[in-house]
Amino acid sequence: MALTVVYAADTGHVVGALALTGARTGVGTGAPPEVADLVGSALPLRVSLDDGRIATLPLSARELAVASVDDEPGALADPLSFGVEVTTDGKPKPALVRLASWPDNPDNIALAADGLTLTVQVAVARPTPVVALVSDEQNTHVLAGEIPAQQTQVKLPVTLVAGSVHGVLVLAAGWAGQLRTEKVT
């Protein structure tokens, strides 16, 4: 069985995986369905906040891509732990890659009133793209940047209220995606 995955085009993170059965778009050509056919205008990722509310972090379909890949059962249960690599001509490789785990440290993602700081365990060899979404009542802040080569950290600016609680999605290329609740310090 093969999988169809939806992934973040900028970082390669798998954000959704499904095993399609029956008639498919592109049958006979091996072409996966279009992103909009699978997610509409956005793919909503949800996380529970501390008071029973749910934060919805919508990934725009414009920022996503679809690939048909080899069977990887783990991608169905924990898609953010896998990534899609593309060839030099921009085509997705058929095998998913398992992404590096974040260190077991709650401070590796720190949300403050003036920004989101991400810290990885070892210095990155080359500039590493980062995309983060932070819920904020009716809006979602979309933050983008990169961890510079030979560094372990990046701070993405955002203005938040001290003590507030937010849903956060962090996608740093090469590292497993993080979807969690964070309190502003």
Side-chain angles (χ1 to χ4, degrees):
M1 165 178 57
L3 292 178
T4 297
V5 295
V6 176
Y7 67 97
D10 289 342
T11 64
H13 286 84
V14 174
V15 293
L18 61 152
L20 296 176
T21 59
R24 291 188 12 190
T25 303
V27 169
T29 65
E34 295 294 318
V35 171
D37 293 338
L38 296 174
V39 304
S41 62
L43 175 65
L45 298 180
R46 293 178 175 87
V47 62
S48 294
L49 301 178
D50 62 352
D51 60 0
R53 293 178 299 140
I54 302 290
T56 300
L57 301 162
L59 290 167
S60 171
R62 293 183 313 271
E63 307 298 325
L64 301 173
V66 176
S68 291
V69 297
D70 296 338
D71 187 25
E72 174 54 70
L76 293 169
D78 188 14
L80 291 173
S81 291
F82 292 89
V84 172
E85 288 185 320
V86 294
T87 62
T88 55
D89 61 354
K91 295 186 183 194
K93 292 182 179 180
L96 294 177
V97 294
R98 175 150 316 255
L99 300 172
S101 297
W102 286 80
D104 190 19
N105 177 353
D107 296 331
N108 58 4
I109 297 174
L111 196 56
D114 65 345
L116 175 68
T117 301
L118 310 173
T119 305
V120 295
Q121 191 169 3
V122 294
V124 296
R126 59 183 177 272
T128 301
V130 175
V131 174
L133 277 66
V134 179
S135 70
D136 193 9
E137 297 301 322
Q138 301 300 321
N139 299 316
T140 299
H141 300 281
V142 179
L143 315 174
E146 67 180 27
I147 301 171
Q150 307 309 316
Q151 300 294 315
T152 59
Q153 193 173 78
V154 63
K155 184 170 185 175
L156 304 173
V158 63
T159 302
L160 301 167
V161 176
S164 58
V165 177
H166 302 269
V168 177
L169 172 67
V170 174
L171 305 175
W175 296 88
Q178 296 289 302
L179 179 62
R180 58 201 231 187
T181 303
E182 290 292 325
K183 185 172 185 176
V184 177
T185 57

